[in-house]
Amino acid sequence: MNHPNPGIIAPGVSPRQPSSFLFLVSRIKRFLLRRSTVLTVMLMNILTVAVSVVIPQRTRMPEAVGMARNEISPEQFPVLHSLGLDHILTTPWFAGILGLLLLCLLLSLPGQIRKAWNRTVRHGEETAEGRGGDCLPARSGDALRPGLRNHGLGRITEGNQCWRYYRYRWSWWGNPILHLGLVVIVAVSLGTALTGQRGVLRLIPGETHRAGDGWFAEEHGAVVGPLFLPGTVTLDYLLPEFWPGGELRRLSSGLRWGTTADSANRVTLDVSVPLTIMGLRWYHGTDFGHAFWLTVTLPNGDHRKTRLDLPYPERRGKAGYGNFRVDGVAYPIKAKYYPGEAGSPGQTAGLRLYLRLGEGQGPVSADCVLGPDRSGMLGQYRVRVDEVRPWTSIVISRQYGIALIFFGFFLVVAGGVLLYVVPPREVLVPLDGQDVRSCFGGCVPPDAVVASMTSFSKSCQDAIDPDLDEQPVSH
Amino acid sequence: MPSIPILMNNPLAIDILLHWLAVSGYIGGSLANSYGIIFRHDKAERLGCGLMTAGAFVHGIALLWRWHASGHGPYLAKYEVLSSSAWVCVVIFLICRRLSPVLRLASLVVFPASFLLVAIGLFTNPAIKQLPPTFRSIWLVFHVGFYKIALATLLIGLSYSVLTIAKNRSSCPWLRRLPGTRELDRFSYRFAGLGFLFWAIAMLAGSIWAFQSWGRFWAWDPIETWSLMTWVCFGLYLHLRRFFGWSGERAAWMYLGCFVLSVISLFGVGLMTASIHSAYFQ
């Protein structure tokens, strides 16, 4: 019921909920569409990402471990950790900022589509004044027309008020297409981050990973559980190939997989050549190296068994490095190894493992050099290399919507091409003797079009009045 | 002076020799061109352009020679990255200048900057590096190629931003002869738009390559992150110009900041931090 005086609410009558809700929605929408809001959200995104560059970020996935070698420990910087600043990109507040950006983009889309529609399909919806652009002092629209046609501008008649000349009319859609692409990328990326699953297997030749066994490393989105591998996988062999200089040229593995106990399918998996197996995407990890099974004998006679996985060096002749701790050993053990000249992971002849005992950058308290099946003293600890085998990693993932993200990128590029390579141009010639208005969308490419704003405007001016020597007035 | 047979047996020596030849052309070209533009000496300007073209030709042969010797494109190691980036900048600028002579002013910045890139590259290790297995993808070629094109267009835009600032702040007679700041400013805006576009294409190709090689389209790797920041900053620049009416010196300073960010993304981050991209700039 409508009250006669909208400013007064009658006793016992509650305010109309839908209208106040709609009012709130429209206020929020207006706020999100404000230029300053959009600018602030963009700045917030830039700043957040910049902070993630400055503060070392924690990571769990082995392919990124090398990047995080300077990561900070939560114990050292509890405040940073509690704010999530050591893992910014996986914090809810970063998702919130991205969500805000998505909302701004989404809400601005209808307006942009409307504008493009009006300019390309429903001619004459906007007045010449409302379109902005550059204004040329008019003398005679008739004098302009031949010049406009010479510059490739076609004509559309808009009622009795003005004639509209245009070029690359459909490029007005560049803006909405570009922003739609951004919406698709941000929305699907958020979806992928929430639903993606990824697991890493670290295998040695002959080793079998069974369904339900734990991953070497895994990560999953907030709305899904860890990835489940519905079958077994066995690494049959690992085959690295090297360039003459000793750098890795190719890395491939022979895998056996099956979803039932007696099924065995063989595939060869290469780096950069992913396969789809059991409905999951399989990638060969880019890392491999040697695993050392060590027995450390403590001064009291206790034995400690440990496995040390060291990455293959950048090239033969260089060393692969790693640090590890053993229960009962006072200091961390720093390890490096030289794989020997043979290079093949199966060949361990010439392979040397260097162990050092020491804290951080402090002095080395003991060191020793060991080969396969050899033992030696590392200070007061006896260390024996029981076995050396090669290892590699297989990455298995399930992600939805990746093709959509690339499609979003394509839309951004397509919108950018329309805006900046074939920018829309239009000139409105009023029939009532008012100023002629030229309007150029986006930017223009470095060809003859580049000079268009100058030479085109000038030629228009010349067409109007050859003696006129005025600069175009910006609006 | 080594004899020709010795040179022919050493692909690196030929490569370096050709590069120095190209650099000589670039130095001469930059000097003559700048003299010609500043002192309105058409003959010197034409000579400068001719020398730059000759330098780019020799430089192109050097890059092709290296491609042949290494078996991969010039996008691995600092030497190759800097050299090929400089070549793309010079060639793209020469093409643009040919199509639109009004762009000739940008040569005041583009030519010396390109010469500087090659020269810095020549002081790094020229040894040929071999492609790691993840680098064998056609998407990598697009990824790298479009970043170079983006750098070239941004460098041309930078020239106009620098000229806008110089014209506003200095009363040198030759600066007074330049077109108005409004005109100069518009060029930097247009090339920023093109750079923004090419940067986006490069990121797209890179994300497809990353998905193929590592199973992720985006890994927040430091170089990726800096690249995204650069792109968003240029997006911000375009937004500020379009919707907030930024122009003139204020916009030119912002362009300068964005350009510095792009140089850090392309050449600096690889030196500062470990990254899955590191192999290309070590």
Side-chain angles (χ1 to χ4, degrees):
Chain A
M1 182 182 120
N2 285 332
H3 196 276
N5 184 345
I8 301 168
I9 298 168
V13 178
S14 62
R16 290 175 63 193
Q17 289 303 316
S19 49
S20 60
F21 174 73
L22 286 177
F23 177 70
L24 185 68
V25 168
S26 76
R27 284 286 295 267
I28 292 173
K29 189 178 163 187
R30 266 213 308 276
F31 169 74
L32 288 172
L33 283 177
R34 270 162 52 181
R35 288 170 185 176
S36 52
T37 307
V38 175
L39 196 68
T40 309
V41 171
M42 282 174 88
L43 277 172
M44 278 163 71
N45 272 283
I46 293 173
L47 280 177
T48 312
V49 174
V51 170
S52 81
V53 169
V54 176
I55 300 175
Q57 302 289 295
R58 284 189 291 134
T59 180
R60 284 175 294 165
M61 299 309 280
E63 70 266 28
V65 163
M67 289 182 265
R69 60 172 67 121
N70 296 321
E71 71 181 40
I72 53 176
S73 67
E75 295 79 26
Q76 270 180 307
F77 300 93
V79 178
L80 289 187
H81 180 66
S82 59
L83 291 173
L85 293 177
D86 57 345
H87 60 104
I88 289 173
L89 307 171
T90 51
T91 52
W93 56 265
F94 179 65
I97 293 175
L98 270 186
L100 212 56
L101 178 70
L102 182 64
L103 259 180
C104 291
L105 287 167
L106 258 177
L107 291 173
S108 71
L109 256 183
Q112 290 178 27
I113 292 171
R114 205 178 308 121
K115 272 185 185 169
W117 180 265
N118 285 341
R119 281 193 154 150
T120 51
V121 181
R122 295 177 63 183
H123 313 303
E125 283 291 308
E126 292 175 67
T127 60
E129 288 72 20
R131 280 177 168 155
D134 285 287
C135 189
L136 305 169
R139 291 291 184 276
S140 163
D142 292 333
L144 260 182
R145 281 167 209 144
L148 293 172
R149 287 210 189 89
N150 287 344
H151 279 84
L153 277 89
R155 194 186 82 184
I156 295 173
T157 306
E158 294 189 359
N160 298 323
Q161 292 185 342
C162 61
W163 280 350
R164 180 165 158 250
Y165 288 79
Y166 67 88
R167 193 173 186 190
Y168 307 129
R169 179 162 47 129
W170 297 104
S171 294
W172 288 117
W173 285 92
N175 223 14
I177 289 174
L178 190 147
H179 285 83
L180 178 67
L182 288 174
V183 166
V184 171
I185 291 172
V186 177
V188 183
S189 297
L190 276 173
T192 307
L194 288 172
T195 59
Q197 295 167 301
R198 190 177 168 87
V200 180
L201 299 177
R202 184 167 280 187
L203 297 171
I204 56 172
E207 187 180 359
T208 298
H209 179 95
R210 289 181 180 78
D213 285 356
W215 298 95
F216 174 74
E218 80 84 30
E219 60 182 9
H220 58 270
V223 299
V224 290
L227 183 65
F228 177 76
L229 186 64
T232 61
V233 54
T234 305
L235 177 67
D236 279 342
Y237 62 86
L238 171 65
L239 188 63
E241 290 174 25
F242 297 91
W243 293 100
E247 299 102 336
L248 185 66
R249 180 181 190 172
R250 192 180 164 201
L251 185 61
S252 57
S253 289
L255 296 171
R256 205 156 12 101
W257 63 273
T259 47
T260 55
D262 52 351
S263 66
N265 307 280
R266 288 173 196 278
V267 287
T268 303
L269 191 62
D270 269 271
V271 169
S272 294
V273 188
L275 297 172
T276 301
I277 300 171
M278 297 188 242
L280 301 167
R281 201 85 170 135
W282 292 42
Y283 298 86
H284 201 299
T286 50
D287 52 346
F288 80 106
H290 280 96
F292 297 81
W293 278 263
L294 306 179
T295 302
V296 181
T297 308
L298 303 180
N300 63 7
D302 284 356
H303 299 295
R304 298 279 187 271
K305 297 268 186 191
T306 188
R307 174 179 158 178
L308 172 61
D309 288 2
L310 290 178
Y312 201 86
E314 191 185 322
R315 73 165 71 98
R316 272 204 309 273
K318 288 196 164 190
Y321 295 89
N323 297 331
F324 65 113
R325 278 189 173 274
V326 176
D327 276 351
V329 176
Y331 297 111
I333 299 175
K334 296 175 182 175
K336 69 173 179 179
Y337 90 108
Y338 290 90
E341 281 307 306
S344 168
Q347 297 176 357
T348 53
L351 188 146
R352 288 287 173 271
L353 175 68
Y354 293 74
L355 299 176
R356 284 176 157 190
L357 211 54
E359 186 75 72
Q361 300 296 318
V364 175
S365 58
D367 59 4
C368 69
V369 184
L370 301 169
D373 297 322
R374 297 291 171 90
S375 61
M377 293 302 292
L378 183 66
Q380 53 184 323
Y381 311 101
R382 172 165 290 280
V383 183
R384 177 177 171 75
V385 179
D386 297 324
E387 194 179 359
V388 182
R389 304 274 296 278
W391 62 264
T392 192
S393 54
I394 308 294
V395 180
I396 301 174
S397 75
R398 174 184 280 143
Q399 288 170 309
Y400 302 104
I402 300 296
L404 264 179
I405 291 174
F406 295 146
F407 178 67
F409 262 118
F410 170 76
L411 287 179
V412 168
V413 170
V417 167
L418 289 177
L419 274 180
Y420 301 121
V421 179
V422 282
R425 278 169 283 170
E426 66 178 32
V427 175
L428 295 173
V429 182
L431 301 178
D432 55 3
Q434 290 178 357
D435 288 352
V436 172
R437 195 166 289 269
S438 64
C439 192
F440 292 69
C443 302
V444 285
D447 56 14
V449 182
V450 164
S452 59
M453 195 50 119
T454 315
S455 65
F456 174 69
S457 303
K458 194 167 184 314
S459 65
C460 287
Q461 274 181 315
D462 293 345
I464 297 162
D465 185 351
D467 300 327
L468 196 69
D469 194 23
E470 285 180 45
Q471 286 291 313
V473 183
S474 179
H475 285 247
Chain B
M1 183 80 184
S3 63
I4 288 175
I6 293 174
L7 268 181
M8 290 305 288
N9 289 331
N10 187 349
L12 270 187
I14 293 178
D15 174 37
I16 292 170
L17 186 71
L18 287 171
H19 266 90
W20 276 112
L21 269 176
V23 166
S24 311
Y26 287 165
I27 294 173
S30 299
L31 288 174
N33 177 72
S34 302
Y35 178 83
I37 290 178
I38 292 170
F39 297 103
R40 290 174 111 169
H41 201 289
D42 286 350
K43 217 170 163 182
E45 197 184 333
R46 276 202 302 275
L47 174 72
C49 259
L51 281 171
M52 287 304 290
T53 310
F57 182 72
V58 176
H59 194 174
I61 292 174
L63 289 173
L64 280 176
W65 174 264
R66 192 173 173 91
W67 194 322
H68 171 72
S70 65
H72 60 77
Y75 40 72
L76 214 56
K78 286 190 272 286
Y79 179 84
E80 290 179 3
V81 172
L82 291 169
S83 172
S84 53
S85 299
W87 185 78
V88 171
C89 287
V90 172
V91 168
I92 289 209
F93 176 73
L94 288 173
I95 292 170
C96 290
R97 192 186 184 282
R98 176 95 185 155
L99 292 172
S100 178
V102 72
L103 291 173
R104 54 189 264 277
L105 283 176
S107 62
L108 286 172
V109 173
V110 175
F111 287 167
S114 306
F115 145 66
L116 206 65
L117 279 176
V118 197
I120 294 171
L122 276 167
F123 288 105
T124 61
N125 183 6
I128 288 172
K129 285 183 76 175
Q130 298 297 347
L131 277 187
T134 46
F135 275 50
R136 285 180 306 165
S137 165
I138 186 67
W139 291 106
L140 170 71
V141 179
F142 292 133
H143 174 56
V144 172
F146 276 103
Y147 268 121
K148 290 183 193 307
I149 296 171
L151 176 70
T153 46
L154 292 178
L155 188 60
I156 298 173
L158 174 79
S159 317
Y160 286 100
S161 289
V162 169
L163 288 173
T164 304
I165 294 169
K167 196 171 162 69
N168 264 359
R169 297 193 160 232
S170 168
S171 53
C172 282
W174 74 272
L175 281 172
R176 267 186 263 139
R177 290 201 308 270
L178 299 183
T181 46
R182 192 164 168 242
E183 246 0 91
L184 296 171
D185 191 37
R186 270 184 181 160
F187 280 116
S188 58
Y189 178 31
R190 286 162 192 173
F191 279 96
L194 283 176
F196 177 76
L197 173 63
F198 289 129
W199 201 280
I201 298 174
M203 284 203 303
L204 165 63
S207 68
I208 295 175
W209 168 47
F211 186 64
Q212 191 185 47
S213 294
W214 293 281
R216 294 170 181 273
F217 71 96
W218 196 266
W220 295 108
D221 169 75
I223 290 182
E224 278 176 11
T225 309
W226 277 86
S227 175
L228 178 69
M229 272 167 55
T230 306
W231 189 67
V232 177
C233 281
F234 270 109
L236 197 64
Y237 167 85
L238 295 172
H239 253 262
L240 285 170
R241 293 206 61 138
R242 194 173 172 133
F243 298 112
F244 286 77
W246 276 40
S247 62
E249 199 175 328
R250 189 166 54 159
W253 279 113
M254 182 165 182
Y255 189 104
L256 236 68
C258 292
F259 185 81
V260 169
L261 205 58
S262 71
V263 172
I264 292 174
S265 303
L266 293 176
F267 306 122
V269 187
L271 296 173
M272 291 188 291
T273 179
S275 148
I276 48 176
H277 285 81
S278 290
Y280 90 96
F281 209 62
Q282 281 177 344

